Structures are given as C-alpha cells and as structure tokens.
Amino acid sequence: MTTAQTPRPSPETSALSSAPSPASTRFSGRMVAALLALSIAQFLVALDYSIIYVALPSIGSGLGLAPERLQWVVSAYAVFFASFLVVGGRAADLTGPRRLFLGALALFGLGSLAAGLAGDQWLLVASRAAQGIGAAALTPAMLALIGTAFPAGPVRSRALAVWGAIGAVGLAAGVLIGGVLTAALSWRWVFFVNVPLIAVTVVLALRVLPAGARTRASVRHLNLPGAALFTGAVLFLVAALTQAAVDGWASASCLGCLAAAVALGTAWSAYDRRPAATPLIPPALLRVRSLAGASTMSALYMASVGAEFFLITLFLQDVWGYGPLGAGIAFLPLASSVVAGNLVTGRLAGSWGIRRTLATGFAVGAAGLALLGLGTGGSDYWTAVLPGLLVSGLGQGMAFAGMYIAGTKDVPDSEQGTASAVLTATQYTGGSMGLAVLVLVLGDAPAGGAFGRAYALTALLALVAAAVALRTLSPRTAVARADAGDGDER
C-alpha cells in the first residue's frame, strides 16, 4: 500500500494502464486463485443469460412449447435476477460475502441441474428462476469479495478490470457455447455444463477467499419486510415488461403487473422511510453521483449492445435459416472482439481516464449496431454481419468493465455489495425493458426492415449512454485526488 506521502494513481488509470508498475499491480498467488474463482462465477452468471438463445428452438420442439411461452425461459432468469439483486447485495454487506457466495453457488448449481432434467415447461421456468436468484446473490457477493481480497488502489482496480472483462466474454461466448452444445449433444447440456464449473469454483473459494464474520445484529438489520416489498416491486415491474412483449402494453396481464409493481414500490418506500427502519438501500448511497451515472449506463448497456445477442440470433435463425451450431459459430468473432476491446481500454484509460474511455466504448458500440442494421438488407455473412459484430464487440469490451469501476470507485468498502447490486439490477432491468420494446418493434413475422429499425433503436440508446458517461462522471484528475485521499486515510 502507498503511504500518505506517496500519491497513487486513480483506479481507472492504474487498473488498465498499458505499462503498469510491477510493484503496484502485482497479484500474489492467493490473489490469483481468488480472482480465478470469482471470474469463473462471473463467467457463469453472464453465460447463462446468453447461452439460452440459440437453444430456444430445440427447447420448444423438445417440450412442445409455443413461441410466446419460450420467452419465459429467458425472462424467468432475468426477472428473478433483477428482483433479488439488491437484497443479495445487502445480505453480502451484512452477513458476510463468502458465506453468501457459497450458498448462491449451491442454489445456482441445483437450478442448473433441475433445468437440464426438466420434463415440462413449468419445472424449466422454475429452475431458471432458481438460477436467477442464485446469480442475484452471487453478483454482489463477488464484488464485495473483490473489495476484501484485493487492497484498494491499483491491485483492486486491476482485479475489477479482469473480472468485468470475463463477464463481457461470458455474454459473448454464451451463444457460441450454446450452439455447440445444442448441436453436438442436446439443449439440456446448456444447463448441465454449469455443474463441473461450479464444483471447481467451490473448491477454490473454500481455500482462498476471506471468510468474514456474521453477527446476530447483522441478521436483524437485514430488513426482511423491506426486502420482500422491494423484491416484489421489481419482480412485477419486469414481469409487466415481459407480458407487454407477449400480450401487448394494454393487456390485462401487463397492466395488472404494473399496478402491483406501483403498489409494492410505494409500500416499500413508505416502510423504508420510517424513523426506526434500516433502509434496504442507504440514502447516502443513492446520492453518489458516479454510482447513479454508472447505473444509468448499465441499463442502457444491456438495452443496446447487450440486446444484439437476441437480435442477431433471431435474424440468423429465422431470416437466414441458420441452425444452432451455425448461429453459435457466427458469434465467435464477437467474443474475440470483446477481448480486444478490453485490451484497447487498457491503453486508452491511462491517458484518457474512465469517463472518456466509457464514452468512446459506447460510441464504438453504437457504430457497430448501426453497421448491423445496414447489413440486414444483405445476404452474405462476411459483409452484412461480420463488420458490425467486430465493431460492436470492441465497444462492449471497452464499456463493460469500465461501468463497474466507475460505479464503485466512490463507494465505501462496507457498501460495495449493495452498490454492485444496484448496478447489476439496473443492467438486467434495462435488458428486460429493451427486450420488451424490441419484440414490439419486430412484430410477429420480422423481416429485414424490422431488424433495421430495431438496430437503429439500440444504436441510439448506446449513444445516450455515451452522453451519460460524459455528463455524470468526474474528470480523471478529480478522481485521482479522491483516490489519493482514500489512500491517506487508510
């Protein structure tokens, strides 16, 4: 750690600099093992959001599901993930992140096994919901563990950069892995593949992650009634968006879910504001400008560049007639481009700072989405799809890790779990909103023109995210001063 007399670089500069100081960013052997465990878990969380897409037609055939029912196989994961994230974050802060991490891994693994064995729609949807709840607890626990396993400053920021990049790769690689497993084995293996990875992660976690402590006071302060009200509100909100995509915005199911979301949200707000209440989300946390900006970008990220997984898969299979394996292989350049984007970020952030780097990443992502929209009128993968995949993947790699670094850099260590939960909850809620709107834009039988309009919408959202980055994040020099002050206090 640096002393009070030795200024240290800002988190984003030191995390991603192309020529870091060996002494300031070197990981110990234990840190490497801890980062491996956390990265595998992050890969699984991201993977299970995107791996399902190319398997959907096979799932529908195997279980006899209509297309509108298939959407719930995707949405059950996202709905319960978004609904339980803040509860998981608060639990990580109050009861100990390693304990929550291990329990969440167990639930995620059981959900994966049950989904692979499912013989009907309802067991599959329930299993996906269990996966979503497990992922909701895993994500804030991982961020909190990074905060405790890696010292503040360059080492922690570098760990965050690696962890975030693995998440972006998981999103991109999910479609490829899903296509290969579905074609070579069956759709059930898109779930079974999680089990051995979880076993390896548990073994590593027990050996290298810091244990932490739980107190009876911490459990009492979890505010379970407030957590239940908040979770119900988010659950019904995301369910309303999903039903809007299936039955329309004016349907009874959509309006009923919206009404329930408003009622529960109002009740939660009133309950949390009582003088004797322990707020689920501390009011001071909501006033952190960098967290608010990063949360907005997180929602826009999944509604824009994150939505291309859905659009490209649907376009390749339904319009061009690709099979699961062909569609999965078509995504391979995207996964490679995401990795390249992270490396480009390493060279840019040292001189530009995280604000300009994030804005550039979203702008590049918008350009890639625009290219994909232009390509919907073509018929050749190499000219109509590949250029957009490469450019949009570059933007994804630049934006994903940066959002978490920007959103958590000004948050106290004791509230890192809650802050990361807010970030990821807005991300997947934004993704559900984007999916609902895109389904409406595409219509019942989408063709090239409808896909062009959908890509134009996602490109616009990515540009809005770039503007948010420039508007809400502090210049690099100001962040550096705050970071140095933190180091002094420590």
Side-chain angles (χ1 to χ4, degrees), residues 20-174:
S21 168
S24 62
T25 61
R26 182 180 296 127
F27 290 155
S28 67
R30 190 179 185 88
M31 288 180 186
V32 170
L35 185 57
L36 177 60
L38 296 170
S39 295
I40 295 173
Q42 168 71 342
F43 182 82
L44 286 170
V45 169
L47 180 79
D48 268 63
Y49 181 79
S50 60
I51 196 174
I52 194 70
Y53 283 121
V54 295
L56 284 176
S58 299
I59 293 174
S61 300
L63 298 181
L65 303 181
E68 62 270 17
R69 299 292 184 184
L70 279 177
Q71 185 180 355
W72 274 106
V73 179
V74 177
S75 297
Y77 183 83
V79 164
F80 281 86
F81 189 9
S83 301
F84 281 84
L85 267 165
V86 175
V87 177
R90 206 63 188 142
D93 290 337
L94 295 175
T95 66
R98 192 180 82 153
R99 184 176 290 105
L100 183 66
F101 180 80
L102 292 170
L105 276 176
L107 178 59
F108 194 89
L110 289 173
S112 300
L113 189 60
L117 296 172
D120 59 63
Q121 172 195 354
W122 301 114
L123 179 56
L124 179 59
V125 170
S127 302
R128 288 286 284 167
Q131 284 184 300
I133 296 172
L138 269 176
T139 300
M142 286 187 284
L143 264 295
L145 285 165
I146 288 176
T148 55
F150 300 88
V155 171
R156 183 183 299 173
S157 294
R158 188 181 174 201
L160 275 169
V162 173
W163 178 85
I166 293 297
V169 171
L171 279 174

Side-chain angles (χ1 to χ4, degrees), residues 388-476:
L389 284 181
L390 293 174
V391 175
S392 62
L394 191 67
Q396 279 198 50
M398 294 174 68
F400 194 91
M403 291 186 303
Y404 283 92
I405 295 173
T408 59
K409 65 184 178 60
D410 298 326
V411 175
D413 287 353
S414 61
E415 294 177 348
Q416 286 286 324
T418 305
S420 65
V422 170
L423 280 169
T424 313
T426 56
Q427 183 180 115
Y428 279 85
T429 302
S432 297
M433 293 176 66
L435 179 61
V437 174
L438 288 174
V439 169
L440 292 173
V441 170
L442 291 173
D444 295 332
F451 279 98
R453 291 189 293 273
Y455 279 120
L457 175 60
T458 56
L460 177 62
L461 293 176
L463 288 176
V464 172
V468 171
L470 292 173
R471 176 69 177 170
T472 61
L473 297 181
S474 301
R476 182 171 59 88

Side-chain angles (χ1 to χ4, degrees), residues 162-189:
V162 173
W163 178 85
I166 293 297
V169 171
L171 279 174
V175 186
L176 170 62
I177 296 172
V180 171
L181 291 173
T182 302
L185 299 170
S186 81
W187 63 263
R188 297 182 183 278
W189 280 91

